[in-house]
Amino acid sequence: MTGADSARLCFHDSLNEFLAPVHRQRPFDYPLTRRASVKDVVEALGVPHPEVGLIRVDGTAVGFAHIVAAGERIDVYPVPTTQAPDGASLLRPPPALPPRFVADTHLGTLARYLRLLGFDTRYRNDHDDPTLAAIAAADGRILLTRDRGLLKRRMVTHACFLRADAPRDQLHEVAVRYPLAAWMDPLSRCARCNGVLRAVDKAAIAHRLAPKTHRYYRRFRECDGCGQLYWAGSHVRHLEALVAEVRDGAGGGAPPGTREIAHVPPH
Ligand SMILES: [Zn+2]
């Protein structure tokens, strides 16, 4: 039973890793020493609010602004790791579709992968934390980060805390939380600058091609931001593998509406 001036909290599943060891994997009493919202209490215990997908008080779902009262039983669940976006909750509006991202300074390779798959992904290696949070808020982007402090910024609404070190594993983490498989559009965006790729007449860029490329490839795309050229077999060696991983690894096959790769066969 809870004490007269405490609430009983229980964090579920992956949220436990944010907690002090003494609080993990079991309900515990939280003393109420001040008037506090459930969001304040959750973050005071170390759990970033963007990682929370559902809060129930005595069995009823509530929003972040709920003021915690003595005697309440509060269950806190993570954002679901399914194809479903975390929109069906009282905690935040649904993310924009197709999902757009901003990646923190440690996630350059992941940003390149997402761009290759066609996702609008802002990334610079010199963005500071306030800038990252501001970009996420202003553009309705999902913040990708390994920084728990950044996740707790008030203006951050949608964010994904990445647990993995390896970029391919990080991509998988993003793909199981957000519907990448349904929205990917490979080779529509520049991996280098996030610009949009457009088909370009080979004759117009022939002088920029190495002899073998000129000989073996007919269809090209050019970035409208930096002018980088793309063609099958060039910058996209890993693209087929990335597409397959997202399609197969994020929950059992491609959902309806998956767009096929629309790029540049080699002849
Ligand atoms: Zn570019």
Side-chain angles (χ1 to χ4, degrees):
M1 298 300 291
T2 56
D5 298 313
S6 65
R8 175 151 282 204
L9 273 76
C10 187
F11 289 82
H12 294 261
D13 304 323
S14 61
L15 295 181
N16 279 278
E17 71 185 73
F18 296 106
L19 297 172
V22 68
H23 290 146
R24 290 178 189 163
Q25 307 294 351
R26 66 182 187 84
F28 60 92
D29 288 343
Y30 182 84
L32 300 174
T33 56
R34 61 189 172 87
R35 178 181 162 87
S37 70
V38 69
K39 181 182 177 186
D40 289 340
V41 169
V42 164
E43 292 212 316
L45 287 162
V47 178
H49 70 269
E51 289 292 303
V52 176
L54 176 66
I55 301 172
R56 284 200 176 115
V57 174
D58 296 327
T60 301
V62 300
F64 280 130
H66 173 81
I67 302 298
V68 179
E72 287 179 339
R73 157 82 185 213
I74 299 176
D75 288 281
V76 187
Y77 299 86
V79 172
T81 52
T82 69
Q83 287 282 327
D86 55 348
S89 82
L90 297 171
L91 305 182
R92 61 184 67 85
L97 292 175
R100 302 189 298 268
F101 300 97
V102 54
D104 84 14
T105 56
H106 304 290
L107 300 173
T109 302
L110 175 62
R112 287 177 57 83
Y113 288 165
L114 287 167
R115 289 170 176 174
L116 279 171
L117 292 168
F119 294 100
D120 180 349
T121 305
R122 294 275 303 272
Y123 167 80
R124 283 176 59 108
N125 62 9
D126 59 354
H127 276 151
D128 60 16
D129 284 4
T131 302
L132 289 164
I135 290 171
D139 289 356
R141 290 172 186 272
I142 297 160
L143 175 63
L144 303 174
T145 184
R146 306 197 67 200
D147 180 341
R148 297 179 190 201
L150 181 53
L151 287 176
K152 291 184 181 179
R153 286 182 174 263
R154 186 175 297 272
M155 67 195 317
V156 173
T157 302
H158 293 283
C160 182
F161 178 70
L162 297 164
R163 285 131 174 113
D165 290 319
R168 293 293 264 270
D169 295 336
Q170 293 167 348
L171 179 65
H172 180 76
E173 290 183 275
V174 177
V176 297
R177 185 182 295 195
Y178 301 102
L180 299 191
W183 289 98
M184 60 185 168
D185 188 8
L187 219 64
S188 63
R189 204 165 271 278
C190 180
R192 190 161 79 174
C193 81
N194 199 40
V196 174
L197 303 187
R198 301 187 193 288
V200 60
D201 188 10
K202 183 177 178 179
I205 47 95
H207 61 287
R208 296 167 59 189
L209 302 176
K212 276 191 174 177
T213 306
H214 189 280
R215 182 174 174 187
Y216 290 116
Y217 298 96
R218 290 197 313 158
R219 298 171 66 180
F220 296 84
R221 292 186 179 193
E222 184 177 29
C223 172
D224 69 1
C226 71
Q228 178 77 48
L229 291 176
Y230 289 78
W231 63 93
S234 63
H235 305 81
V236 296
R237 275 178 301 174
H238 304 301
L239 184 55
E240 302 280 356
L242 289 177
V243 168
E245 285 177 22
V246 167
R247 184 172 289 163
D248 301 336
T258 299
R259 282 178 279 184
E260 296 300 322
I261 300 176
H263 77 276
V264 289
H267 53 76

